[in-house]
Amino acid sequence: MKSRLLKQRGLKVKEKLSDFKLCSFNSKIESEKYFQLSGLDKVLGVEGKCLNNDKTVDPDYKIPYGVDISDLARIHWICLNRKTTQVLEFGSGYSTLVLAHAMSQLRSEHLSWVESNTRLKNPFKVYSIEESAEFSEITNSRLGDYKRFVDLS
């Protein structure tokens, strides 16, 4: 199964999407399958484990919330499925990196069409508004090769 998933990682965005629907992400198994298939496990450095398990948000905001695979897989799928060209996000974190990954995939497949048919100056960009300088730095340090797809302020 794992070797099949690795072979499928080279598929184009449209082919990756065809096996999933929005309700697919209500299933932990389907979410983990998408997480691996899309390469998000490698992007985030998470090998298919939900780090939140029954955890709640820290009321004192000292620790970032963590990873919820179903939510991240769902947001990635929505972005790809709708062929999103720009995202406005309030608050940054793992979702910023996931959205940037989706933007990079969309850019590689749709840039010429977007440049020819829209007036966007910065297509395939995530605009993330973060009030905490500390969390902004944490997110920025995680972006790596995806920094060019994110405007973090």
Side-chain angles (χ1 to χ4, degrees), residues 10-145:
L11 295 175
K12 291 192 176 227
V13 172
K14 185 177 178 183
E15 294 164 334
K16 287 180 184 179
L17 294 174
S18 65
D19 289 343
F20 298 91
K21 305 219 175 318
L22 190 57
C23 63
S24 300
F25 304 103
N26 294 333
S27 161
K28 183 177 179 182
I29 292 169
E30 287 297 302
S31 295
E32 288 179 356
K33 179 181 170 186
Y34 182 89
F35 206 74
Q36 291 176 349
L37 181 65
S38 64
L40 290 175
D41 56 337
K42 301 300 180 204
V43 171
L44 296 177
V46 177
E47 295 298 328
K49 293 183 180 176
C50 181
L51 300 179
N52 276 338
N53 292 335
D54 294 318
K55 196 170 141 184
T56 60
V57 175
D58 177 13
D60 297 322
Y61 299 114
K62 294 180 181 168
I63 301 170
Y65 183 64
V67 176
D68 186 316
I69 288 174
S70 294
D71 286 346
L72 294 176
R74 183 180 295 112
I75 197 170
H76 190 268
W77 181 87
I78 289 170
C79 192
L80 295 179
N81 191 50
R82 295 185 178 170
K83 297 182 178 91
T84 306
T85 55
Q86 295 181 325
V87 174
L88 176 60
E89 175 187 45
F90 294 93
S92 66
Y94 290 109
S95 60
T96 310
L97 179 53
V98 166
L99 289 166
H101 180 263
M103 291 291 114
S104 73
Q105 289 184 314
L106 289 165
R107 180 182 177 88
S108 69
E109 291 190 28
H110 302 291
L111 180 61
S112 62
W113 186 91
V114 169
E115 288 178 335
S116 300
N117 295 285
T118 70
R119 293 181 285 172
L120 295 173
K121 291 182 181 178
N122 286 319
F124 308 107
K125 194 87 166 175
V126 177
Y127 296 93
S128 185
I129 299 170
E130 175 59 68
E131 70 174 336
S132 167
E134 180 184 0
F135 287 164
S136 182
E137 287 177 27
I138 291 169
T139 299
N140 200 36
S141 70
R142 290 180 182 145
L143 290 173
D145 295 339

